[in-house]
Amino acid sequence: INKYRPESSEQEVREITRLLTDAEYEVISQPEESSGKDLAIAGGNMYEKGLTGAEVATAIANGLKSGLNCRIVRNTKGAPTCELQALSNPNLNIPTKNALTKVVASLKKALPYALTPTQKSQITHLIRYFEKGDVEEFRQMNIQWVKDGTKSKVDFMMGYVEVYADYLNQIGSWESYVQIIDPKMTSLSVNLAKNAQGFEDEMPYGQFKKKFPENYSPPALMVYYFQELSTFHSGGYNLPNFDDIRRDVGAKNIIRLDLPGMEKDKTTLKIRREMFEEFLPKSKVDGVMQDWLAQRRAMVLLHEIIGHGSGTYDVTKYGEKEDPVGALGSLGSALEEQRADQAGLVFAADPRLVKVGYYRNADEAQRVRNAMYDAYLGHFLQRVSKEQSLSEAHQRGHWMLINMLMEKGVVVKESKNGGPATDQDFVLAVTDYNRFHKVSTELLGELQRIKANRDEAALKNIFAKYAPLNEIKASWLQAVIKRGQKLAINAGSIEQPWQIKNGSIVTFGGETLESIAPYLNL
């Protein structure tokens, strides 16, 4: 603490130490949707400690403007105000000021090494954004990033980006990615992206299907990347989040590749098998392990390239530059992430994936699709055991789908080893893979309808009915949390340090956290 926050007072050091060592102190929780109830005791640093949801709501009604690079704090009169996260703010807290100063200095050093004029412009706008805080500079940075497409073989994204962590869906979390493009794998994703119109034509979207320009092919990069993201281990992303930029300029898809050789690493495979043996029917474990990489990559490709990029909406229901996801409030992100997931589940065995060379034939496509459905259920339980909550945006959407599937008998609880299921050994099992596909298609259509028509009442109702957060207290989910404690690694994700040397990836440390730890500050 003294090394990284030398300005901390003794009281702050005590609080930070307790936060890092006491599992019961300031446990992260999600404020109640819309009302912000329990904001004062929720974890995170987007709102000054002690601020209540009622105070924030009153301030917003009186003109308070939140935004991507805000932190809501009390002003000298005790009223909530936006603390702009930019160097131009004289009241910026010292840790953030120090960090942004280093970021800006590094970006200025990077300018002469920009690989293309658009990448140089991207860096220039980002520097101005961190210095002045004008979100229009961030918008322009996103535009230049999209226009750069696949030209730069080393690509990056940085800033206050995703709004999942904010109960009002306004404040962005800090994220940075530096990605090295794999040209061979990228050719596969680019070919898939060329089929965007074909997928769109089969979407259950009614009148709200997109008509892409002729020869439309959004940039789709398969990459190895360094990641800095506070709350979520990402398998890929689709940006920008500004819907008018998506409409007028386009979007860009980044799909993460595992480090070369990782799919054969014995330790990784052992950890993965242990998790599936705990949370899948015994008869499904070998199949999911066999098709792990194929189903996971298919989901990410379809989620990012086809799902997020699909659909249009009633423009009369939204402002000219209003993003539908943000406009739909605290549930907007959960809806959008599940809408993209539904595209992956619906099109996992689509013949176009055979056409572009992703699958060898239709039989393989069907087998991998079924493995995807099995893995989806196992991963849901594993994430419940890890996060001990249902509130994270992606998980909230999974919870909705699974409850729908259980209601229709498409997914049931059964013992992982056979016999009657108990809280201590149950798993979620698919009874009919084709009906799973049918329910997924229906939900995809409904989520698009809600988004397109800004049907906020239907949005609240569907999540209230099928994704209640208080169900985490139920005995069966509490049992899942306890079962997760048996797993060797279940607390989070470790990004193993690595560098590129002479064109090859070199990793540091061995197979244990203790061997990796000395290199984490590379």
Side-chain angles (χ1 to χ4, degrees):
I1 295 170
N2 289 333
K3 177 180 178 181
Y4 291 103
R5 290 188 53 131
E7 71 282 354
S8 300
S9 66
E10 290 185 11
Q11 175 61 26
E12 286 174 327
V13 170
R14 284 195 293 271
E15 286 206 23
I16 293 170
T17 302
R18 189 177 174 194
L19 184 66
L20 294 173
T21 59
D22 185 349
E24 301 302 319
Y25 180 64
E26 291 197 358
V27 177
I28 291 179
S29 60
Q30 186 74 2
E32 188 176 282
E33 291 155 4
S34 302
S35 73
K37 184 183 178 214
D38 295 332
L39 176 64
I41 60 172
N45 61 2
M46 293 177 173
Y47 297 83
E48 182 176 324
K49 184 178 179 181
L51 270 174
T52 67
E55 287 178 290
V56 172
T58 299
I60 290 174
N62 291 331
L64 170 66
K65 299 293 185 184
S66 186
L68 283 175
N69 56 345
C70 276
R71 180 171 180 260
I72 307 301
V73 300
R74 297 184 190 278
N75 62 20
T76 55
K77 296 181 180 180
T81 188
C82 169
E83 178 187 75
L84 192 65
Q85 304 297 285
L87 295 176
S88 61
N89 179 5
N91 299 316
L92 188 64
N93 66 78
I94 293 175
T96 302
K97 181 179 180 180
N98 290 344
L100 275 182
T101 299
K102 291 179 180 178
V103 168
V104 168
S106 296
L107 287 171
K108 288 179 176 178
K109 289 179 180 178
L111 266 175
Y113 301 97
L115 297 172
T116 63
T118 43
Q119 189 174 76
K120 186 172 185 177
S121 182
Q122 176 193 352
I123 297 172
T124 300
H125 283 296
L126 190 59
I127 290 171
R128 292 174 187 162
Y129 176 56
F130 292 146
E131 288 180 334
K132 302 298 183 182
D134 184 355
V135 175
E136 184 57 34
E137 293 288 355
F138 189 56
R139 284 172 49 83
Q140 292 302 317
M141 187 277 281
N142 277 264
I143 289 172
Q144 295 303 312
W145 179 69
V146 171
K147 287 183 174 180
D148 196 55
T150 60
K151 299 184 188 76
S152 297
K153 301 311 175 188
V154 177
D155 189 86
F156 85 102
M157 168 55 65
M158 180 182 290
Y160 301 98
V161 184
E162 303 288 6
V163 295
Y164 309 138
D166 178 21
Y167 78 104
L168 291 177
N169 234 36
Q170 299 292 326
I171 301 173
S173 296
W174 174 266
E175 300 171 39
S176 63
Y177 307 88
V178 177
Q179 45 237 9
I180 296 93
I181 297 172
D182 183 312
K184 182 178 179 180
M185 291 301 297
T186 293
S187 66
L188 171 66
S189 57
V190 168
N191 286 334
L192 178 64
K194 289 178 180 178
N195 287 270
Q197 189 64 64
F199 283 104
E200 189 75 14
D201 292 342
E202 294 190 19
M203 289 287 185
Y205 288 176
Q207 71 186 87
F208 294 109
K209 295 180 182 181
K210 274 186 180 176
K211 183 64 178 176
F212 296 111
E214 190 174 353
N215 299 321
Y216 173 75
S217 178
L221 285 62
M222 300 286 275
V223 304
Y224 308 99
Y225 61 62
F226 303 90
Q227 172 182 357
E228 181 184 35
L229 174 59
S230 59
T231 59
F232 190 72
H233 180 86
S234 171
Y237 58 91
N238 171 286
L239 292 174
N241 286 333
F242 301 101
D243 206 76
D244 63 308
I245 297 177
R246 286 178 179 273
R247 181 188 66 222
D248 300 334
V249 182
K252 194 163 167 176
N253 306 277
I254 308 296
I255 313 301
R256 184 178 206 170
L257 296 169
D258 286 337
L259 290 177
M262 196 171 182
E263 68 274 14
K264 296 180 181 178
D265 177 70
K266 291 181 180 179
T267 301
T268 300
L269 293 174
K270 180 181 178 182
I271 291 169
R272 187 176 298 154
R273 176 172 283 276
E274 179 189 46
M275 183 272 285
F276 282 132
E277 286 178 345
E278 182 61 43
F279 293 123
L280 277 183
K282 187 176 181 179
S283 61
K284 303 296 183 183
V285 173
D286 287 343
V288 170
M289 288 293 294
Q290 173 191 338
D291 291 319
W292 158 257
L293 190 62
Q295 65 84 20
R296 174 61 181 161
R297 195 169 285 172
M299 169 56 84
V300 177
L301 281 165
L302 291 166
H303 174 110
E304 304 295 352
I305 299 173
I306 305 303
H308 280 310
S310 68
T312 184
Y313 54 90
D314 185 344
V315 295
T316 67
K317 302 288 181 68
Y318 297 95
E320 182 181 356
K321 291 187 177 181
E322 191 172 26
D323 173 48
V325 175
L328 289 169
S330 59
L331 293 173
S333 288
L335 176 145
E336 178 59 21
E337 291 304 326
Q338 193 59 30
R339 192 180 72 96
D341 254 23
Q342 293 304 133
L345 295 167
V346 168
F347 293 108
D350 192 273
R352 292 172 186 81
L353 292 173
V354 178
K355 174 185 172 184
V356 302
Y358 189 81
Y359 298 127
R360 287 168 295 185
N361 51 53
D363 288 342
E364 181 184 37
Q366 198 75 8
R367 189 190 76 229
V368 173
R369 184 203 72 169
N370 293 352
M372 178 188 288
Y373 293 177
D374 292 328
Y376 203 83
L377 302 177
H379 267 299
F380 170 76
L381 295 178
Q382 187 261 339
R383 287 186 63 179
V384 167
S385 74
K386 179 176 72 173
E387 297 171 4
Q388 303 181 33
S389 167
L390 298 164
S391 63
E392 191 276 327
H394 299 74
Q395 187 76 336
R396 189 82 186 275
H398 302 345
W399 180 220
M400 173 173 58
L401 171 63
I402 287 169
N403 272 320
M404 286 184 172
L405 292 166
M406 293 178 71
E407 177 184 74
K408 297 176 185 296
V410 179
V411 166
V412 297
K413 292 181 187 176
E414 65 178 42
S415 169
K416 63 183 179 182
N417 296 313
T422 67
D423 285 350
Q424 285 66 45
D425 79 342
F426 84 90
V427 291
L428 299 175
V430 181
T431 62
D432 188 320
Y433 292 98
N434 289 331
R435 287 185 64 206
F436 192 120
H437 180 269
K438 183 175 184 294
V439 173
S440 295
T441 303
E442 292 168 352
L443 179 56
L444 176 58
E446 176 61 6
L447 294 180
Q448 174 61 18
R449 187 199 67 77
I450 290 171
K451 177 182 177 181
N453 293 288
R454 198 168 183 166
D455 191 344
E456 295 173 80
L459 177 64
K460 291 179 181 178
N461 288 339
I462 197 170
F463 276 93
K465 180 177 180 180
Y466 291 107
L469 293 179
N470 59 3
E471 185 69 10
I472 193 66
K473 299 176 183 178
S475 62
W476 66 289
L477 290 179
Q478 286 297 307
V480 168
I481 292 171
K482 291 180 180 178
R483 287 164 60 183
Q485 296 172 3
K486 298 185 293 185
L487 302 180
I489 296 181
N490 199 42
S493 302
I494 295 295
E495 299 285 330
Q496 181 151 9
W498 55 281
Q499 291 180 343
I500 303 296
K501 290 189 176 181
N502 300 321
S504 298
I505 295 175
V506 179
T507 60
F508 298 87
E511 297 178 348
T512 65
L513 181 57
E514 288 76 14
S515 68
I516 294 171
Y519 301 96
L520 288 176
N521 287 322
L522 277 175

